[in-house]
Amino acid sequence: MILDPLPLTPDHDIPAPVLTELTALYASNRDFHALSGEFPDPDDIRPEQVATVLADELAEPGAEVLLARSEGRLVGIAVTLARHPDPVDPDPWIGLLMVDGTDHRRGYGRQLATLVEDRFRAAAHSAVRLAVLDNNPQALAFWTALGYETLGYGRDRRLDRPCTVLRKELTGPPRTPRRAARMAVVDPQGAVFMFRYDNSEVGVHWALPGGGLEADETPREGALRELREETGWTDLEPGPLLCTWEHDFTHAGTPVHQHEHVYVTQGPHREPTGADLPAAHAADGILTWRWWTRAELSASPEPLWPPDLAQLLDEWDTKRDV
């Protein structure tokens, strides 16, 4: 994911192609706008309305509108404020963080929040604040899961609605970027092979075979090498790209922000094999492995990487059948 400021024309207008993208992003979040009351009709959000809303945001001193893109496509927007108008408030604010509705549950919101926090860290800020409307419990759950704590209660400045003010301490340097690739191996019955990991930061989770890329590797080359190293299977090749996604965890004692390419391929139902595998698995924190059916993926009580793997595999099945 790449985060850049909103581009403007010399007349301080939003370029037409960008405004079209933004309007589609806003329109895809109908339920959020029904709660916020920002637009007269959340079922009919128009370009001129989006342009007006963003112009109002940028009119605030120290405000910035940031666009998040993944593989060139607009997937999210964040509005930040370098300093709250209240002189006793020393922290910057996140005024809005919104992901395209078609990309919900893919980890983009968490990635976008992390990038915004990293910008504030780079600017030497020690904390960040935001406000969540009291009629939006899903947003409150999202932010508290990211480590934001309730600071107090109040009313929002624009429409005087009850809200909860949250704050997060920004400790430590920005995370180290890391490139990685993984392979989803699907058996003839549609089950997928996964490893169970234990990580010092994120805890126990399940992930596909794969790992960090070497300096001269392409993602496809890295996915194949990692698959062979972790399973001993040498008769498979990466198929099409299933997805890309980003997430945070700690690797070898270093907090990283990892960008992964995930490929999919078909293979027989079998177990990993090789005399060197126990030592390799111990070094990588791999606890065990198993094959997962789609129903088991959807009902897993433990985190899966990527989180929407069942849906992605179902979509891959549909494309193969066409």
Side-chain angles (χ1 to χ4, degrees):
M1 181 181 290
I2 298 174
L3 198 61
D4 286 317
L6 173 69
L8 296 175
T9 69
D11 295 327
H12 299 285
D13 294 324
I14 301 174
V18 177
L19 183 57
T20 298
E21 291 180 295
L22 285 166
T23 303
L25 187 148
Y26 271 75
S28 70
N29 285 275
R30 185 263 174 206
D31 290 346
F32 170 75
H33 298 303
L35 293 174
S36 71
E38 189 108 49
F39 295 91
D41 183 356
D43 293 309
D44 184 24
I45 295 177
R46 303 178 180 181
E48 60 271 19
Q49 295 172 325
V50 174
T52 298
V53 165
L54 292 177
D56 290 344
E57 297 282 8
L58 289 171
E60 293 283 351
E64 191 170 30
V65 175
L66 302 168
L67 304 187
R69 295 186 179 276
S70 179
E71 298 184 327
R73 185 172 64 86
L74 182 68
V75 296
I77 182 174
V79 179
T80 65
L81 195 63
R83 189 179 182 88
H84 195 275
D86 186 343
V88 302
D89 180 350
D91 300 324
W93 278 65
I94 299 175
L96 173 71
L97 190 142
M98 185 167 59
V99 171
D100 191 294
T102 62
D103 290 313
H104 287 178
R105 300 183 62 82
R106 296 197 173 191
Y108 285 143
R110 180 183 291 268
Q111 297 165 37
L112 179 51
T114 298
L115 291 177
V116 171
E117 292 167 4
D118 285 346
R119 289 174 69 91
F120 286 142
R121 286 191 189 92
H125 292 290
S126 59
V128 58
R129 300 188 192 194
L130 55 88
V132 175
L133 295 177
D134 286 356
N135 64 354
N136 194 354
Q138 287 186 329
L140 184 62
F142 170 80
W143 289 109
T144 54
L146 295 185
Y148 287 75
E149 298 179 350
T150 299
L151 185 65
Y153 303 93
R155 309 191 68 87
D156 78 293
R157 295 172 55 237
R158 182 167 296 178
L159 297 176
D160 194 38
R161 298 160 296 186
C163 60
T164 300
V165 179
L166 304 175
R167 185 175 189 266
K168 180 178 181 179
E169 296 283 346
L170 300 178
T171 57
R175 290 178 176 268
T176 300
R178 186 173 188 253
R179 298 166 60 242
R182 298 190 183 275
M183 187 107 75
V185 180
V186 180
D187 77 4
Q189 285 71 47
V192 63
F193 180 84
M194 301 189 79
F195 287 119
R196 190 173 190 248
Y197 289 84
D198 189 7
N199 181 263
S200 61
E201 179 179 351
V202 302
V204 173
H205 62 281
W206 291 85
L208 302 166
L213 301 184
E214 296 179 354
D216 58 348
E217 277 186 321
T218 67
R220 187 176 292 273
E221 291 169 342
L224 179 60
R225 174 185 54 77
E226 288 282 344
L227 178 70
R228 293 176 174 177
E229 290 176 357
E230 293 181 346
T231 66
W233 303 337
T234 60
D235 55 345
L236 301 179
E237 292 289 336
L241 182 68
L242 186 67
C243 72
T244 61
W245 80 295
E246 300 173 34
H247 59 101
D248 294 338
F249 75 114
T250 297
H251 174 71
T254 300
V256 301
H257 181 73
Q258 182 152 295
H259 184 281
E260 293 186 358
H261 283 66
V262 180
Y263 298 91
V264 62
T265 191
Q266 293 177 283
H269 189 103
R270 55 188 168 180
E271 293 192 354
T273 181
D276 297 331
L277 290 185
H281 289 180
D284 289 340
I286 295 175
L287 304 177
T288 188
W289 61 78
R290 60 168 286 194
W291 291 86
W292 292 72
T293 67
R294 304 297 167 80
E296 289 170 337
L297 289 176
S298 299
S300 172
E302 294 182 334
L304 305 174
W305 288 4
D308 54 347
L309 181 58
Q311 177 184 340
L312 290 167
L313 291 174
D314 286 343
E315 293 171 355
W316 172 67
D317 282 340
T318 300
K319 292 176 182 177
R320 285 194 304 150
D321 294 338
V322 173

